[in-house]
Amino acid sequence: AAQSGAATTNVGLRNAGQTLLTATTASTSATTGALVVSGGAGFGGAVHISGNDPGNAYVSVNNTLSTSNRTFRLVGGIQGVSQDGFSIYDTVATATRFTIDNSGFVGINDTTPDYRLDIETDVASYVANFFNDGNATTRSGILVQGGLDDSTAAGPSTLIGFQDGDGGAIGSITFGSSATAYNTTSDE
C-alpha cells in the first residue's frame, strides 16, 4: 500500500512490467476509484477493463461542459441484461442506446436485437433518414439486395415487407419471373 495524502491506495508491481491497481469500492465518478487521472492520460498499448456482472465493466464518458451533463458508459456486456456483447448506456435517461450482441446483431434503443440492424423508437417522426443530395444523377438512395439470384426465375422473392404499427402485413415489394411488383395485402 502507498500513501497519497491522507488516503491509502493499493499499488502492486507485478512481473513483466505490470502495475496492478485495486480499490475496495467501485468507482462512482471521475474522482473515485483505484486510479484517478486529472488532465488526461495516454496509453501506448491495450487497456483491459473487466467486471463480473452486466454493466460493471465499463468506461464512463462525460463532457462536463455539456448542458445536459450526460454520462455515457461503454459497457462490456449489455447493461442490466447480459454479460455478453457490447453496449452504450445513457446514465441520465437510464437507457441502453446502442447494442452489439454476440451474433453481431446491432440494436439502437434495443437491448435484444432480432435482426442485423434493429431500431426501436416511439417518436412522432421517421425512424431513419438517409441523405445523399448532390443534385446529380450519381447520388443514389438505398440499395436492397436479397432473394433470388436470377430475376427471371419463378418467384416471388420479397425485397421489402411493410407492416402496420401492430406488426400486421400490409404490403411488400417482390420480384421474380422477370417482374417487380408492389403488393398490398388485398393482392396477396
Side-chain angles (χ1 to χ4, degrees), residues 71-172:
T71 298
F72 289 95
R73 291 180 181 170
L74 309 178
V75 182
I78 300 171
Q79 179 82 29
V81 175
S82 171
Q83 300 285 46
D84 299 322
F86 169 80
S87 61
I88 298 175
Y89 183 77
D90 180 341
T91 62
V92 173
T94 63
T96 298
R97 299 298 190 185
F98 181 83
T99 301
I100 303 174
D101 72 11
N102 279 358
S103 298
F105 287 24
V106 174
I108 298 176
N109 288 334
D110 184 359
T111 58
T112 55
D114 297 314
Y115 305 95
R116 291 289 172 200
L117 177 59
D118 200 340
I119 302 171
E120 290 191 9
T121 189
D122 184 7
V123 296
S125 185
Y126 294 99
V127 172
N129 177 29
F130 299 90
F131 184 82
N132 184 19
D133 183 21
N135 195 24
T137 58
T138 57
R139 303 306 190 266
S140 301
I142 299 172
L143 174 65
V144 177
Q145 179 178 343
L148 296 166
D149 288 343
D150 180 0
S151 64
T152 63
S157 190
T158 303
L159 284 176
I160 300 175
F162 302 101
Q163 297 178 338
D164 64 20
D166 293 328
I170 59 171
S172 62

